[in-house]
Amino acid sequence: MEAEMEVKNKNNVMCLLSDPEGNPLGAPMYLPQDAGPKELQITVNQLLTNEEKLPYAFYISDQELLVQLGEYLQKNKVSVEKVLPIVYQPQSVFRIRPVNRCSATISGHTEAVLSVAFSPDGQQLASGSGDTTVRLWDLNTQTPMFNCTGHKNWVLSIAWSPDGKHLVSGSKAGELICWDPKTGKPSGNSLVGHKKWITGISWEPLHLQAPCRRFVSSSKDGDARIWDVTLRKSVICLSGHTLAITCVKWGGDGVIYTGSQDCTIKVWETTQGKLIRELKGHGHWVNSLALSTEYVLRTGAFDHTHKHYASPAEMKEAALKRYIKMKGNAPERLVSGSDDFTMFLWEPAVSKHHKTRMTGHQQIVNHVYFSPDGKWIASGSFDKSVKLWNGITGNFVAAFRGHVGPVYQISWSADSRLLLSCSKDSTLKVWDIRTKKLKQDLPGHADEVFAVDWSPDGEKVASGGRDRVLKLWMG
Amino acid sequence: MPQGDYIELHRKRSGYRLDHFDRKRKKEAREVHKRSKTAQNALGIKGKMFAKKRYAEKALMKKTLAMHEESSSRRKVDDEVHDGAIPSYLLDRENTTRAKILSNTIKQKRKEKAGKWDVPLPKVRPVAEDEMFKVIRTGKRKTKQWKRMITKVTFVGQGFTRKPPKYERFIRPSGLRFTKAHVTHPELKCTFNLEMIGVKKNPNGPMYTSLGVVTRGTIIEVNVSELGLVTPAGKVVWGKYAQVTNNPENDGCINAVLLV
């Protein structure tokens, strides 16, 4: 009898399933040792009484569970007597295919391509270049569609409005021009106000106002301006930084974050342009900012279902739903990458002190980006590596090495399973988040690659650089 | 008293001539015409020297004029569109690396011209001709001495066929022909037995390079496909240079160090 009891105990493990925020799902239960991720998925789906079977990933103390429970216990020598905490995380329902071939090389720009952006619905592609033009490309035929001239100097940054109706580009001369993407013509005169070049543009989220009217632009002259496209002028000027502002982001709560070369990040409110908070801590220039809800704000109401919306009010509701679902109960998180080789994770709504300090890079951190589901943070640095961090706690997870030149920009796939990085060594590399390894190497550019973007529907990747051609990659 | 002092003394005592200042002014005005006349009539080396001086003066004058014409009001932005567009995250950074690459290529070209390379053995003992070649006497009376036998290790390659024996001047004994070399990777510190592809350069002279003689300090090309090296573009590297570090004719094998 005793032997039988012992045998029974050996086959079962006491587990407690909990969600990423720590709330337990039911009471601790016995699970057989030969249960793997698939069986756990079925269990979780039943316990949560989901109608559709959603995919989940399971983590035990931050390590993903890929094998059966029994093997895991043996490998890690976890005691059977204690309750084993397993954290489950929902994964996206759709799965993006990794891109592996260059489907088209489109030339057209006569100078280096400086920025590339897909529209929020993924149907259109725009690129800004050093030859002072913005070009719109047709994705179906993979040929140039419109050539938008009007800028006086290099086009440094472009941004689509979340409803896809406007495209704004900023140049080295300090002017901004708003274009109509359907015709390729400017919507009016150029917006002048900044005295030096434009470093970043960010639109107001769709769930705060629809149709999209306002956007904020940051410049080297140290101030950020909020513009209104219908009034065609600068509404508010946010001045306060003493040196150039390197990046600006409009948050989902209706605040604007600006990171500057004076080592501070300022948080502004948008109705009157007052400074709410100042986040200090960095030792050198703040190069890049990223918000946990950034992807949802960028894509607005569009998601993988390719739904078309009739009225702005509908789009606003849909965008609001998506935003709330993405945000959950946690406050919005902000990560900043700086020239002092470190990154800080902040919760600006909670406190003005940083939550975590993320060190590890050996050169300046050039670009930081939250994954679309907010679980991971990726950082590209001039030390030729891309590092992956936990998006909630800021702990280091993995480093991706493979590039032989400084990593310039990174981009996530819409399902958060793949990460793309472009570098000075003229290659793009696709990294798999699950295996933490290189998935695909995409050589082909003749010179440094300056900008890369993954379309929100996950079908295509566009990249442009010093060799003046735009390359489209497909799976 | 010196000459000029007399003139000054006279001027102090009696003042200037009445028409002095007029004459001075007119003489200076005539200077221009006189100068131009001498410039037009000066021939040969004199003319060249004058022209050179005049050109320097002209350039200086143009510069001062331009400086005076510069307006004090500055325009808001730089209107010119420069080449070499870079994205905003690279704008405030001084890219010294590009300049470095350029100067590096120039230095490399100079080195190539001078024939100096960064190799493990920059200098080797020169091999004399009588050490390298052994005179072979031929002919019915063994009086002809135009044939030479190479006493050092050679590499001939796969498709090698001898010249007709009556006409070959340099004899490469088959006992001294080698195809493989023991190549050491300097960083990994491990040695591989790799096949040779060819002799790139023998420091003793281009004649030995063309003959395929392998002595100490020779740069050879080896087949490294079994090492599995890959270029960043994704292509597999299969040939690399290595420098011979021993005297192969004494040891019976070729030891080399890979040039990375």
Side-chain angles (χ1 to χ4, degrees), chain B residues 148-174:
Chain B
R148 298 281 182 277
M149 184 178 79
I150 299 176
T151 59
K152 305 278 177 196
V153 165
T154 57
F155 172 77
V156 289
Q158 258 198 340
F160 175 75
T161 37
R162 291 167 58 187
K163 272 167 109 172
K166 187 172 184 197
Y167 300 107
E168 69 176 341
R169 196 187 313 184
F170 295 103
I171 301 173
R172 278 165 272 221
S174 61

Side-chain angles (χ1 to χ4, degrees), chain A residues 145-452:
Chain A
M145 202 156 66
F146 294 116
N147 181 1
C148 317
T149 52
H151 275 296
K152 293 202 180 70
N153 214 319
W154 310 340
V155 179
L156 289 174
S157 51
I158 50 177
W160 288 88
S161 67
D163 60 1
K165 301 247 169 30
H166 300 278
L167 171 68
V168 168
S169 56
S171 86
K172 190 161 184 274
E175 63 196 348
L176 292 134
I177 302 185
C178 184
W179 311 90
D180 178 13
K182 298 273 181 320
T183 60
K185 301 247 178 324
S187 305
N189 283 344
S190 53
L191 305 164
V192 183
H194 282 295
K195 293 185 188 61
K196 291 202 192 152
W197 66 75
I198 309 285
T199 51
I201 306 175
S202 180
W203 280 86
E204 183 170 21
L206 191 58
H207 65 87
L208 292 175
Q209 191 182 61
C212 293
R213 279 180 65 172
R214 302 197 297 169
F215 64 90
V216 64
S217 65
S218 62
S219 156
K220 172 150 165 72
D221 59 7
D223 34 77
R225 278 170 192 267
I226 304 182
W227 306 82
D228 191 321
V229 279
T230 40
L231 297 175
R232 306 210 55 79
K233 65 184 189 104
S234 165
V235 189
I236 305 173
C237 175
L238 312 167
S239 44
H241 280 293
T242 50
L243 286 174
I245 304 184
T246 49
C247 52
V248 66
K249 287 276 183 299
W250 200 312
D253 305 334
V255 295
I256 293 180
Y257 304 96
T258 53
S260 155
Q261 280 178 5
D262 61 6
C263 319
T264 61
I265 302 167
K266 290 197 199 288
V267 186
W268 313 81
E269 61 98 35
T270 53
T271 47
Q272 296 207 327
K274 292 212 185 100
L275 177 66
I276 307 178
R277 249 196 192 108
E278 190 171 339
L279 306 172
K280 287 196 235 200
H282 275 298
H284 210 295
W285 301 355
V286 177
N287 279 330
S288 164
L289 292 175
L291 291 167
S292 54
T293 51
E294 193 172 340
Y295 202 80
V296 171
L297 299 177
R298 176 198 161 180
T299 46
F302 303 104
D303 60 3
H304 64 283
T305 56
H306 297 289
K307 218 175 128 191
H308 286 284
Y309 297 94
S311 74
E314 253 189 61
M315 280 171 75
K316 185 173 175 180
E317 260 188 60
L320 185 61
K321 254 192 257 174
R322 280 188 81 211
Y323 175 67
I324 291 176
K325 188 172 151 207
M326 168 74 217
K327 193 176 154 200
N329 292 333
E332 203 172 29
R333 294 183 301 277
L334 170 76
V335 69
S336 58
S338 153
D339 258 25
D340 62 359
F341 309 174
T342 65
M343 295 142 54
F344 281 123
L345 183 66
W346 316 82
E347 266 173 5
V350 172
S351 125
K352 69 172 182 179
H353 291 287
H354 55 90
K355 196 172 158 206
T356 327
R357 185 184 190 145
M358 296 140 83
T359 58
H361 276 296
Q362 280 141 340
Q363 270 290 322
I364 66 154
V365 180
N366 198 38
H367 196 201
V368 292
Y369 210 144
F370 261 97
S371 71
D373 55 7
K375 292 200 197 93
W376 311 100
I377 302 171
S379 61
S381 150
F382 277 17
D383 69 355
K384 309 175 197 161
S385 72
V386 177
K387 285 196 198 279
L388 188 69
W389 315 78
N390 184 319
I392 302 170
T393 58
N395 293 333
F396 173 73
V397 174
F400 298 116
R401 290 184 203 280
H403 278 296
V404 291
V407 177
Y408 281 159
Q409 299 272 345
I410 45 187
S411 181
W412 285 89
S413 71
D415 64 349
S416 313
R417 289 197 186 99
L418 300 166
L419 173 65
L420 179 66
S421 60
C422 77
S423 140
K424 189 177 174 182
D425 65 1
S426 76
T427 62
L428 290 103
K429 291 197 190 322
V430 182
W431 312 92
D432 189 333
I433 299 302
R434 222 171 63 95
T435 59
K436 317 273 188 316
K437 286 207 170 48
L438 176 68
K439 186 88 185 221
Q440 189 74 29
D441 187 13
L442 305 170
H445 271 288
D447 211 336
E448 312 177 11
V449 186
F450 286 143
V452 70

Side-chain angles (χ1 to χ4, degrees), chain A residues 111 114 130 152-154 156 173 195 197 199 220 261 287 339 364 366 408-409 424 443 447-448 450 466, chain B residues 76-93 95 97-98 101 232-234:
Chain A
E111 272 283 338
L114 300 178
K152 293 202 180 70
N153 214 319
W154 310 340
L156 289 174
K195 293 185 188 61
W197 66 75
T199 51
K220 172 150 165 72
Q261 280 178 5
N287 279 330
D339 258 25
I364 66 154
N366 198 38
Y408 281 159
Q409 299 272 345
K424 189 177 174 182
D447 211 336
E448 312 177 11
F450 286 143
R466 216 167 200 218
Chain B
K76 252 195 271 182
V77 256
D78 198 2
D79 273 356
E80 275 181 39
V81 181
H82 296 282
D83 286 335
I86 40 175
S88 56
Y89 50 82
L90 292 176
L91 265 174
D92 272 330
R93 302 189 191 279
N95 277 342
T97 45
R98 275 261 149 186
I101 290 170

Side-chain angles (χ1 to χ4, degrees), chain B residues 30-43:
Chain B
R30 279 193 301 265
E31 273 299 315
V32 182
H33 298 281
K34 203 173 178 200
R35 203 162 186 229
S36 122
K37 193 171 181 201
T38 50
Q40 287 173 23
N41 292 338
L43 300 170

Side-chain angles (χ1 to χ4, degrees), chain B residues 178-189:
Chain B
F178 286 94
T179 51
K180 287 197 171 196
H182 303 302
V183 182
T184 310
H185 194 288
E187 266 132 56
L188 302 174
K189 303 267 190 266

Side-chain angles (χ1 to χ4, degrees), chain B residues 177-244:
Chain B
R177 291 187 206 157
F178 286 94
T179 51
K180 287 197 171 196
H182 303 302
V183 182
T184 310
H185 194 288
E187 266 132 56
L188 302 174
K189 303 267 190 266
C190 48
T191 314
F192 305 95
N193 195 7
L194 303 173
E195 277 216 23
M196 283 168 62
I197 301 171
V199 172
K200 175 77 179 171
K201 190 166 171 54
N202 191 312
N204 299 103
M207 179 173 72
Y208 300 129
T209 312
S210 61
L211 284 176
V213 174
V214 178
T215 53
R216 186 159 193 253
T218 313
I219 311 286
I220 55 172
E221 197 174 353
V222 285
N223 183 342
V224 293
S225 53
E226 63 173 46
L227 294 184
L229 304 168
V230 176
T231 61
K235 298 205 175 82
V236 179
V237 176
W238 73 280
K240 259 187 172 300
Y241 292 130
Q243 191 182 32
V244 177

